Amino acid sequence: MTQHLADATPTTPHTATTPHTATTAVPAATPAARSTDWWRDAVIYQVYPRSFADANGDGMGDLEGVRSRLPYLRDLGVDAVWLSPFYASPQADAGYDVADYRAVDPMFGTVEHADALIRDAHDLGLRIIVDVVPNHSSDQHEWFKRALKEGPGSPLRERYHFRPGRGAEGELPPNDWESIFGGPAWTRTTDPDGTPGDWYLHLFAPEQPDFNWDHPAVADEFRSILRFWLDLGVDGFRVDVAHGLVKAAGLPDIGGQDQLKLLGNAAMPFFDQDGVHAIYRSWRKVLDEYAGERIAVAEAWTPTVDRTALYVRPDELHQAFNFQYLATYWDAAELREVIDTSLAAMRPVHAPATWVLSNHDVTRHATRFANPPGLGTQLRTPGDRELGLRRAHAATLLMLALPGSAYVYQGEELGLPDVTDLPDEVRQDPSFFRAAGQDGFRDGCRVPIPWTREGSSYGFGPGGSWLPQPAEWAGLSVEAQTGDPGSTLELYRSALAVRRAHPGLGAGDSVEWLPMPDGVLAFAREGGFICTANTTGAPVRIPTPGRAILSSATVLYNEQAAELPADSTVWWQA
């Protein structure tokens, strides 16, 4: 985010560099031209379709809206676009309740629209990754509807987890598992004759019954689904709840309540079971049948990074989200530990580390970093906006300097905060309406993004937006930030250009740590690249590592010393 002053004498004391401008950005090969292991250093942009762009004016984003904004993503400098679900769905959980995996929901368009989007993206040098949701279906999926209609004994019930209840009259759930969205993970059915029947398992909403992956028909169906979209031209899949497909034999009790507090920290009988790996080995064979290096990315919440690494062994998936990194606060010691642990875990399996700061399920990092540490990844308070944005800028440069692949969630390149004051009556997160589940405030990171300074939805679409946008977002729009050298958008554009052009950035499996004062991270990579990150709230003086090529805040330096601003990251060329 800073420019080296080529016309200044380098030894001038406290030479000031201007933030957000890079001088080393040069044209590089388009993503489509990078054909070997492209995913190892890819920057992948997540599009949440209902909140990205609305082409038909119904207030809801759609595929034609995404298609119209592809040039923006190409110019931003990303390599691939990941689309959250757009399949036919009753939308009980924003499309993660799929009724038909081979159809596009009318609210988003048609399969023909998906085909056109994929083709246009490829023409622009962008790859397309789509969500696949294999842990559960919608309760409106044809299999599940028939299972209910046909009643006990229906062969289709074996494709889900139907169980008789406990208690004298079967009135109690089959075990003590709790839904991620709150309440029991079981719902009792009514038999065709009107009497109370068996219970079915749903780790999320009742409208999302879990598949039984022990049944061969489920495995066959999903291999067929993968081929359907691969034949259409997608470049890969993001696997939703990749850790949840296989349940422990016998569905044993966990014992105790407040099970959500254990998620990601302890072994659970419904998450991260070893049996999932056979599934992904079979998927890898399907992916390898197709030319063009098609990939799969695991959304796998596991207790340790070492457990995550099991999903990306050479014969399984290609990447897995690094949620341990996402959950780490803006603290030098904590960041160094998770970076070292992540790189060390991925190295033996020859997989790239991934780095991510925000997504559609967590509070945006510009708001998380605006609040004190220890509050988790779902927050309800806006915090100190200026502090949060400053740290978000610095965290972005740190992330993009690390070896491996990086993920960008739509709107973070605009510095959008979470909308923490949405009225209850507009919220749609299903966990908001269930007691003792997730906080239920995910709508705050899903508010449609602003494109222009004016208009009913700041350019999102001609018919308003499905969630209200704050008035101050006009100043955060793409239009308002474009060309402003101090804007978040131009920081991202500059950083992605430097990342692509610099031979020391992108793929790799290690960093060389450099000695620094407490609260400051510094590491070197190949080609003379050095990154320094000051996570403290005060300026820190260090020996000058080289020539500043990009920084998140104005940095003062000469040949002998540099003053790193509070909460800032600087990229240097030695």
Side-chain angles (χ1 to χ4, degrees):
M1 230 174 147
T2 122
Q3 176 181 346
H4 169 64
L5 298 183
D7 57 350
T9 304
T11 55
T12 302
H14 298 105
T15 299
T17 64
T18 306
H20 301 197
T21 305
T23 58
T24 58
V26 296
T30 62
R34 300 160 58 206
S35 59
T36 303
D37 287 355
W38 65 270
W39 41 276
R40 289 188 174 275
D41 64 352
V43 176
I44 300 173
Y45 185 100
Q46 181 189 358
V47 165
Y48 193 68
R50 59 170 53 203
S51 298
F52 191 66
D54 171 24
N56 64 9
D58 65 355
M60 187 70 67
D62 46 47
L63 294 183
E64 283 293 274
V66 176
R67 183 183 174 198
S68 72
R69 296 294 187 178
L70 288 175
Y72 164 79
L73 298 177
R74 185 267 319 274
D75 295 342
L76 181 63
V78 301
D79 299 289
V81 179
W82 152 33
L83 297 167
S84 292
F86 50 79
Y87 307 113
S89 165
Q91 303 295 317
D93 183 22
Y96 283 94
D97 50 317
V98 181
D100 187 342
Y101 290 83
R102 296 177 182 83
V104 173
D105 195 279
M107 70 186 297
F108 296 122
T110 65
V111 171
E112 288 73 24
H113 290 140
D115 178 66
L117 189 159
I118 294 166
R119 292 174 183 272
D120 282 5
H122 289 167
D123 288 344
L124 292 170
L126 295 168
R127 290 180 165 89
I128 293 292
I129 295 170
V130 299
D131 251 295
V132 64
V133 187
N135 179 71
H136 49 262
S137 73
S138 165
D139 62 353
Q140 298 304 302
H141 190 285
E142 190 60 31
W143 285 1
F144 193 76
K145 289 196 299 181
R146 285 179 53 195
L148 291 181
K149 182 179 180 180
E150 293 172 7
S154 169
L156 287 168
R157 291 198 170 203
E158 298 175 7
R159 301 179 186 186
Y160 295 91
H161 293 279
F162 281 86
R163 295 288 187 279
R166 296 189 289 194
E169 304 295 332
E171 72 277 9
L172 301 176
N175 67 22
D176 66 355
W177 293 2
E178 296 174 0
S179 164
I180 307 304
F181 288 166
W186 296 89
T187 290
R188 196 172 192 184
T189 64
T190 300
D191 286 341
D193 63 3
T195 60
D198 288 341
W199 298 69
Y200 68 89
L201 176 68
H202 53 86
L203 291 180
F204 296 89
E207 296 88 353
Q208 296 169 289
D210 280 45
F211 284 116
N212 174 17
W213 273 86
D214 290 332
H215 196 290
V218 176
D220 289 345
E221 171 68 357
F222 273 91
R223 284 192 293 266
S224 174
I225 291 166
L226 296 182
R227 288 191 173 96
F228 175 87
W229 291 103
L230 290 167
D231 289 342
L232 201 67
V234 302
D235 299 283
F237 301 92
R238 176 265 192 185
V239 186
D240 185 62
V241 195
H243 54 301
L245 278 57
V246 173
K247 279 65 175 176
L251 308 184
D253 282 341
I254 295 173
Q257 297 180 334
D258 295 327
Q259 295 167 13
L260 283 180
K261 296 179 180 178
L262 303 176
L263 293 180
N265 299 304
M268 304 293 279
F270 49 73
F271 279 165
D272 194 32
Q273 298 293 302
D274 289 338
V276 300
H277 299 292
I279 297 169
Y280 298 132
R281 283 191 288 273
S282 74
W283 285 21
R284 181 60 178 261
K285 291 178 181 178
V286 173
L287 292 165
D288 288 347
E289 292 172 5
Y290 289 80
E293 294 186 301
R294 317 293 180 94
I295 71 165
V297 184
E299 182 210 26
W301 289 87
T302 65
T304 66
V305 178
D306 289 330
R307 290 293 300 180
T308 302
L310 298 179
Y311 290 77
V312 290
R313 287 176 286 193
D315 61 345
E316 293 191 39
L317 307 181
H318 298 75
Q319 293 183 349
F321 289 133
N322 189 343
F323 292 119
Q324 285 81 4
Y325 184 78
L326 181 150
T328 301
Y329 196 69
W330 181 241
D331 175 87
E334 294 180 15
L335 286 165
R336 177 165 176 171
E337 180 179 2
V338 74
I339 291 168
D340 281 341
T341 302
S342 300
L343 292 172
M346 296 300 140
R347 202 172 294 124
V349 295
H350 306 290
T354 64
W355 315 102
V356 59
L357 293 168
S358 289
N359 63 33
H360 65 290
D361 281 332
V362 301
T363 299
R364 289 182 178 275
H365 62 277
T367 296
R368 296 203 316 275
F369 292 152
N371 282 273
L375 300 180
T377 58
Q378 291 187 338
L379 280 64
R380 306 183 188 184
T381 54
D384 183 333
R385 168 64 176 159
E386 181 180 350
L387 175 64
L389 187 59
R390 185 167 69 245
R391 288 175 171 175
H393 287 172
T396 294
L397 287 194
L398 174 62
M399 175 185 77
L400 293 176
L402 293 169
S405 179
Y407 283 78
V408 173
Y409 176 53
Q410 66 176 46
E412 73 173 71
E413 80 278 13
L414 303 177
L416 297 184
D418 235 64
V419 182
T420 58
D421 59 353
L422 286 171
D424 290 355
E425 59 268 21
V426 305
R427 293 189 178 276
Q428 298 190 26
D429 184 347
S431 60
F432 179 77
F433 303 98
R434 291 171 63 84
Q438 290 179 333
D439 284 342
F441 289 87
R442 294 180 297 172
D443 293 312
C445 66
R446 300 175 177 183
V447 175
I449 66 173
W451 293 92
T452 60
R453 289 187 177 94
E454 299 179 350
S456 65
S457 60
Y458 305 115
F460 168 67
S465 65
W466 66 282
L467 285 173
Q469 301 156 298
E472 59 268 24
W473 278 21
L476 298 176
S477 65
V478 173
E479 180 184 23
Q481 296 195 43
T482 295
D484 176 0
S487 70
T488 306
L489 177 57
E490 294 301 342
L491 166 64
Y492 272 74
R493 286 172 171 164
S494 295
L496 292 173
V498 174
R499 190 180 194 273
R500 179 168 294 176
H502 198 292
L505 291 174
D509 62 7
S510 63
V511 298
E512 177 189 352
W513 293 107
L514 306 175
M516 282 287 152
D518 289 345
V520 177
L521 290 175
F523 59 83
R525 299 195 60 191
E526 295 181 4
F529 177 87
I530 294 173
C531 176
T532 59
N534 177 12
T535 68
T536 74
V540 176
R541 196 174 180 86
I542 65 169
T544 300
R547 175 174 59 88
I549 56 176
L550 197 64
S551 73
S552 64
T554 297
V555 59
L556 307 176
Y557 76 103
N558 58 24
E559 285 187 349
Q560 287 76 43
E563 185 174 275
L564 305 178
D567 298 307
S568 70
T569 298
V570 186
W571 289 359
W572 307 87
Q573 182 63 46

